[in-house]
């Protein structure tokens, strides 16, 4: 097995102990080592002192033993030849010697002085002492005549056998051995001192120095972290400033956004006696078609160009904000009429965008802020109402906010809520306006128009409720409901043999672009019992331009394949591409009443003739709307217009009135004029 060596840093790390959070462990280890050294030194010094005391006591006892032995010899010399029988002093001396000997031997077992032979001794000190005590005791018990001999034996044991020298040698040996022990203790103390120094050095190297390195490293790390935090704080301040700018400004145009506008309005201190601020909401008309036709890149560039143009219309201390989509707000203390003139003038010429000249039309909703306590959100909502009214009435105009507009908006919102029930309950009625062949005056067909018989508001015309239906996204359901009712009524006239109907149905752009149009329409047509050639679908020019994902074109092709005729409604008022007329299977055109009313004016006649010539070239029939006089009908007929429709032949009529009109005119030759119109 091959052992993998650890990296040096990994090996060093446990010894360096650089982590500050582990310093307490370092210092605890150092404290334990120091405590151990102190305890060891204390124990050693205590042992040395104890040994010194023991040695001193031993020497003292040894010297006492020598004195006690000498007392025995001296007293025995005095008792030799004496008749005195009092041996108390001698006995006391013997007992004292014996006691000192016993204490000395009991207190110094480790030295073995009495069992070992001393230097130059023939027998152990213990045996000599026993012998000396035996002779002394025998002397004490012996009669006077024997004391002399026993005295000699005592002296012989004490002096000649070397007891005296041995006792003196004991003190010397004890002293020598204590000195040896003291020397050993001194050596141990020096070793202990050296060990303590080495331990302290080791602590300094492996504990305190790493701890210092750890603290220094931590301080450096903290300083580095502090500097990084300061740098991050500066970056964060810059990022916060950028984010604050992003939050308060539109990223595309760089203008203040709705939030900034609201804060600006909230921060203005109005003096209602002197201050009048103008708030103008500018919305580009039909901006969606620009994005759809030439692309969002052009649309974004156009918004930037428009924002720059609007900024030039106010002073630098006033505000221009981009509040979303194609809408801008101008806030100034200048009068609204002057600002409106400058805005329309700045948008009058087409903008040059990437080599293309793009014309712009704008509508304006405006109001005056007079400091009467209106809430900011209410002001913006009022301006939005005025703007939508300007757009709904044709665009490219300025509309001041009035309470009447808000009331109209409230009515529209209520109509949006009422529409689902109206469709479900059959309140939407199909009305019919006759169409007449101009060549022979015979009834050609009828256009189906819608009216709403509201349960509380009475009869409502399309200009009132169709905008509400568009906003509510209910145009598809509305169209299909009206178509079904109209087809059922037409089938009834056919069954009663009053008239073989040909009805023209209006289709909203949303309806033509509905992916389920063909399925729903054919099902309704089948249930009604009418043939495909009895129904005409009228589509608006805007449908051809704004059809979602080309679904309008696909549905028009599918309807034509099913045998349904299609007419282009209100031709001449929009901007339908001529290529669309050739690409789509249209059967006819409907001339808008604005082209018919001026006839027989020469200029209007020239336009009508051109359109009729174009229709003839393309094989399309033409229906002229707005025919009120017989002269108009004759004029159109002479120039090739096949069908006329207008008040001259009949106004839009509810089903019952149109049934009466059919009974009187379905098989008659009709002539435009007041008389035929009054029949309805």
């Amino acid at each position: 097995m091959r052992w993998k060596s650890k990296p040096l840093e990994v090996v060093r790390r446990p010894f360096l102990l650089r982590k500050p959070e582990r310093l307490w462990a370092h210092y605890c280890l150092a404290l334990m080592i120091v405590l151990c050294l102190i305890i060891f030194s204390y124990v050693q010094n205590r042992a040395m002192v104890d040994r010194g005391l023991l040695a001193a006591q031993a020497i003292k006892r040894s010297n006492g033993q020598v004195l006690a032995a000498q007392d025995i010899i001296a007293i025995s010399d005095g008792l030799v030849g004496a008749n005195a029988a009092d041996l108390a002093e001698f006995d006391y001396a013997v007992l004292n010697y014996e006691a000192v000997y016993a204490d000395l031997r009991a207190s110094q077992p480790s030295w073995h002085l009495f069992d070992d032979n001393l230097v130059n001794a023939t027998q152990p000190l213990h045996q000599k002492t026993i012998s000396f005590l035996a002779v002394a005791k025998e002397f004490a018990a012996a009669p006077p005549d024997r004391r002399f001999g026993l005295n000699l034996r005592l002296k012989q044991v004490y002096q000649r056998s070397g007891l005296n020298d041995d006792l003196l040698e004991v003190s010397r040996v004890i002293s020598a051995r204590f000195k040896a022990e003291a020397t050993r203790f001194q050596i141990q103390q020096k070793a202990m001192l050296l060990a303590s120094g080495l331990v302290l050095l080791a602590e300094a190297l492996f504990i305190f120095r790493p701890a210092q390195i750890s603290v220094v490293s931590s301080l450096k790390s903290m300083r580095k972290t502090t500097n990084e935090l300061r740098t991050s704080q500066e970056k964060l301040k810059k990022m916060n400033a950028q984010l604050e700018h992003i939050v308060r400004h539109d990223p595309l145009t760089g203008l203040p956004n709705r939030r900034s506008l609201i804060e600006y309005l909230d921060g203005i201190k109005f003096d209602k006696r002197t201050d009048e601020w103008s708030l103008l909401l500018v919305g580009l008309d039909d901006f969606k078609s620009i994005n759809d036709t030439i692309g969002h890149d052009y649309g974004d560039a156009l918004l930037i160009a428009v924002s720059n143009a609007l900024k030039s219309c106010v002073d630098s201390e006033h505000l221009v904000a981009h509040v979303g989509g194609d809408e801008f707000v101008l806030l100034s203390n200048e009068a609204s009429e002057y600002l409106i003139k400058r805005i329309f003038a700045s948008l009058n010429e087409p903008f040059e965008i990437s080599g293309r000249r793009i014309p712009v039309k704008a509508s304006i909703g405006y109001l005056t802020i007079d400091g009467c306590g209106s809430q900011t959100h209410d002001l913006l909502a009022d301006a939005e109402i005025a703007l939508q009214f300007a757009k709904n009435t044709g665009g490219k105009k300025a509309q001041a906010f009035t309470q009447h507009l808000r009331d109209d908006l409230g009515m529209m919102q209520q109509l949006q809520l009422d529409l689902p029930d109206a469709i479900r309950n059959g309140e939407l009625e199909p009305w019919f306006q006759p169409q007449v062949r101009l060549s022979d005056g015979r009834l050609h067909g009828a256009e189906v128009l819608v009216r709403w018989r509201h349960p509380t508001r009475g009869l409502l015309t399309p200009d009132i409720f169709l905008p509400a239906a568009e906003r509510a996204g209910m145009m598809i359901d509305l169209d299909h409901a009206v178509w079904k009712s109209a087809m059922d009524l037409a089938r009834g006239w056919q069954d009663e043999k009053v008239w073989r109907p040909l009805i023209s149905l209006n289709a909203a752009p949303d309806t033509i672009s509905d992916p389920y149009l063909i399925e729903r329409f054919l099902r309704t047509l089948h249930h009604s019992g009418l043939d495909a050639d009895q129904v005409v679908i009228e589509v608006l020019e805007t449908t051809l331009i704004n059809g979602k994902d080309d679904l309008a074109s696909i549905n028009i092709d599918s309807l034509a394949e099913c045998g349904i005729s299609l007419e282009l409604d209100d031709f001449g008022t929009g901007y339908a591409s001529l290529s669309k007329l050739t690409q789509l299977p249209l059967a006819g055109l409907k001339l808008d009443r604005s082209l018919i009313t001026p006839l027989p004016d020469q200029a209007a006649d020239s336009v009508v003739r051109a359109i009729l010539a174009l229709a003839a070239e393309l094989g399309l029939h033409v229906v002229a709307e707005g025919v009120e006089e017989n002269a108009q009908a004759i004029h159109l007929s002479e120039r090739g217009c096949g069908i006329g429709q207008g008040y001259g032949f009949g106004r839009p009529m509810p089903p019952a009135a149109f049934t009466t009109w059919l009974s009187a005119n379905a098989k008659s030759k009709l002539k435009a004029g007041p008389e035929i119109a009054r029949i309805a």
Side-chain angles (χ1 to χ4, degrees):
M1 177 183 292
R2 295 183 61 187
W3 295 93
K4 295 183 179 180
S5 61
K6 296 183 179 180
L8 181 60
E9 182 66 24
V10 176
V11 175
R12 291 175 59 195
R13 191 170 297 167
F15 296 100
L16 294 181
L17 302 173
R18 293 179 180 272
K19 295 183 178 179
E21 61 270 17
R22 298 178 60 183
L23 288 178
W24 65 271
H26 309 169
Y27 294 127
C28 287
L29 177 62
L31 179 62
M32 291 178 62
I33 294 174
V34 171
L35 288 176
C36 290
L37 291 175
I38 292 174
I39 293 172
F40 186 78
S41 298
Y42 171 78
V43 171
Q44 190 180 36
N45 292 333
R46 183 69 182 176
M48 185 175 179
V49 171
D50 291 343
R51 295 294 287 181
L53 291 175
L54 289 175
Q57 291 176 358
I59 292 172
K60 180 180 179 181
R61 289 190 178 93
S62 178
N63 292 333
Q65 189 177 16
V66 171
L67 293 176
Q70 290 177 354
D71 287 343
I72 291 173
I73 296 298
I75 294 172
S76 67
D77 287 342
L79 293 176
V80 173
N83 294 324
D86 188 5
L87 297 175
E89 185 179 3
F90 183 81
D91 291 338
Y92 176 78
V94 172
L95 290 175
N96 184 42
Y97 178 86
E98 189 176 14
V100 171
Y101 169 72
D103 289 342
L104 181 63
R105 179 166 183 162
S107 62
Q108 303 296 328
S110 60
W111 287 337
H112 305 289
L113 297 176
F114 300 93
D115 296 327
D116 298 336
N117 290 330
L118 297 176
V119 181
N120 299 322
T122 58
Q123 64 182 147
L125 177 62
H126 177 65
Q127 292 182 2
K128 293 178 181 180
T129 301
I130 295 301
S131 298
F132 181 77
L133 286 173
V135 174
K137 290 179 179 181
E138 187 179 354
F139 180 87
D145 56 347
R146 293 187 58 193
R147 291 178 180 172
F148 179 79
L150 292 173
N151 179 259
L152 292 177
R153 287 179 59 189
L154 279 174
K155 293 179 179 179
Q156 183 180 7
V157 172
Y158 182 71
Q159 292 178 353
R160 294 179 183 177
S161 65
L163 177 60
N164 181 38
D165 294 335
D166 286 348
L167 290 177
L168 295 175
E169 184 67 14
V170 166
S171 296
R172 188 191 65 77
V173 169
I174 291 174
S175 178
R177 289 185 180 181
F178 174 74
K179 288 181 180 180
E181 287 186 356
T183 302
R184 180 168 56 85
F185 277 123
Q186 289 178 352
I187 294 173
Q188 289 179 353
Q189 283 184 335
K190 291 180 180 179
M192 185 64 186
L193 182 61
L194 179 61
S196 299
L198 292 176
V199 167
L200 292 176
L201 179 62
E203 288 181 349
L205 291 176
F206 295 103
I207 296 179
F208 296 107
R209 178 58 180 169
Q212 181 189 13
I213 293 174
S214 175
V215 171
V216 172
S217 175
S218 298
L219 290 175
K220 289 181 179 179
S221 177
M222 290 175 64
R223 292 191 188 100
K224 181 179 179 182
T225 303
T226 301
N227 293 332
E228 290 177 351
L229 288 174
R230 287 173 180 167
T231 304
S232 299
Q233 188 177 20
E234 294 298 326
K235 291 181 179 178
L236 185 61
K237 287 181 180 178
K238 293 180 180 178
M239 291 179 63
N240 286 337
Q242 293 175 354
L243 288 174
E244 185 69 18
H245 184 273
I246 291 173
V247 168
R248 298 176 181 276
H249 291 77
D250 175 58
L252 176 63
T253 62
L255 295 176
N257 57 14
R258 180 180 291 270
R259 176 178 176 179
S260 292
L261 172 65
I262 292 173
E263 292 179 356
Y264 186 84
L265 283 169
D266 290 338
I268 295 178
K269 302 300 182 182
F270 294 104
D271 185 347
K272 61 183 180 180
R273 295 173 299 177
T274 59
D275 290 347
E276 284 192 355
W277 286 70
S278 299
L279 189 150
L280 293 83
L281 180 60
V282 181
L284 304 185
D285 295 336
D286 203 24
F287 179 73
K288 183 177 182 299
S289 65
I290 296 176
N291 281 331
D292 293 341
T293 54
I294 62 178
H296 288 272
D297 292 339
Y298 281 93
D300 292 344
L302 181 61
L303 289 176
I304 295 173
V306 169
S307 68
N308 293 329
L310 294 178
K311 284 193 293 184
S312 66
C313 296
V314 297
D315 296 334
S316 58
E317 64 268 18
H318 296 154
L319 182 69
V320 177
H322 186 198
V323 294
D326 59 2
E327 294 184 353
F328 300 84
V329 168
L330 284 77
L331 187 65
S332 173
N333 56 11
E334 189 177 0
S336 300
E337 56 267 23
Y338 301 116
L339 289 172
I340 292 170
K341 290 179 181 179
R342 283 204 296 272
I343 292 172
F344 282 135
S346 67
L347 304 179
N348 188 44
E349 294 295 327
F351 288 89
E352 187 78 22
I353 305 296
S354 299
R356 301 188 64 165
R357 289 174 60 82
I358 304 177
V360 173
K361 294 190 299 181
S363 297
I364 302 174
Y366 66 95
L367 52 87
T368 300
I369 308 173
D370 55 8
C372 291
S374 298
Q375 296 294 324
T376 300
H377 293 284
D378 293 337
L379 295 174
L380 296 177
D382 292 344
E384 183 68 36
I385 292 172
L387 174 63
Q388 292 304 318
F389 185 85
K391 286 190 174 185
N392 293 338
T393 54
K396 200 177 181 181
K397 61 178 295 186
Q399 174 64 50
F401 171 78
T402 62
Q403 186 60 39
H404 176 70
L405 297 181
R406 179 176 288 279
D407 295 338
D408 289 346
L409 177 63
M411 183 182 70
M412 179 174 291
Q413 292 174 343
Q414 186 59 49
L415 291 178
Q416 292 178 15
L417 297 175
D418 294 343
L419 263 172
D421 290 336
I423 294 174
R424 186 166 48 253
N425 298 332
E427 297 174 9
L428 297 171
E429 295 182 355
W431 284 37
F432 300 86
Q433 185 175 25
Q435 297 174 337
V436 178
R437 290 195 300 267
L438 299 179
S439 59
D440 57 8
R442 297 294 182 177
L443 179 62
H444 170 75
E447 180 181 3
V448 178
L449 303 168
V450 63
R451 300 292 186 270
W452 184 356
R453 199 169 295 279
H454 197 281
T456 59
R457 298 178 185 271
L459 187 66
L460 302 179
T461 54
D463 60 310
I464 295 176
F465 64 84
L466 285 186
E470 291 175 355
R471 288 195 178 189
M474 302 196 65
M475 285 302 301
I476 297 175
D477 292 336
L478 185 150
D479 279 348
H480 283 284
V482 174
W483 292 354
K484 182 180 184 304
S485 297
M487 290 183 190
D488 291 341
L489 290 168
R491 177 65 183 184
W493 293 322
Q494 180 170 297
D495 291 343
E496 295 172 3
K497 302 187 183 306
V498 175
W499 169 55
R500 187 179 187 276
L502 174 62
I503 56 176
S504 296
L505 306 174
N506 288 285
D510 288 346
T511 305
I512 290 296
S513 299
D514 180 19
Y516 304 104
L517 169 64
I518 304 302
E519 178 183 353
R520 294 183 66 179
F521 176 78
L522 293 180
R523 183 169 61 248
T524 301
L525 181 64
H526 174 72
H527 289 323
S528 70
L530 297 179
D531 296 330
D533 63 349
Q534 292 181 269
V535 178
V536 176
I537 299 292
E538 297 184 10
V539 296
L540 298 171
E541 286 184 306
T542 53
T543 303
L544 305 183
I545 299 299
N546 299 329
K548 300 174 182 177
D549 302 325
D550 292 330
L551 275 175
S553 299
I554 295 173
N555 285 337
I556 289 173
D557 289 337
S558 300
L559 289 170
E561 291 174 359
C562 295
I564 306 298
S565 297
L566 294 110
E567 293 178 352
L568 187 60
D569 195 11
D570 295 338
F571 186 79
T573 61
Y575 39 81
S577 171
L578 293 179
S579 63
K580 289 286 186 179
L581 299 179
T582 60
Q583 295 170 4
L584 297 175
L586 298 174
L589 304 175
K590 292 192 73 174
L591 297 181
D592 187 72
R593 69 181 66 251
S594 62
L595 299 176
I596 306 303
T597 300
L599 291 178
D601 178 76
Q602 184 175 357
D605 183 55
S606 299
V607 174
V608 171
R609 281 189 298 168
I611 295 174
L612 292 173
L614 174 64
E617 185 68 25
L618 296 175
L620 305 176
H621 67 260
V622 177
V623 178
E625 292 185 306
V627 178
E628 297 186 4
E629 302 293 338
N630 191 48
Q632 292 175 327
I634 295 173
H635 189 88
L636 289 168
S637 179
E638 290 175 350
R639 281 152 180 76
C641 181
I643 304 167
Q645 176 182 343
Y647 286 181
F649 297 113
R651 293 175 179 271
M653 293 168 271
F658 187 64
T659 301
T660 302
W661 187 93
L662 285 175
S663 300
N665 300 288
K667 299 178 181 179
S668 303
K669 185 175 181 179
L670 304 175
K671 182 185 294 187
E675 294 79 8
I676 187 67
R678 278 196 298 269
I679 298 176

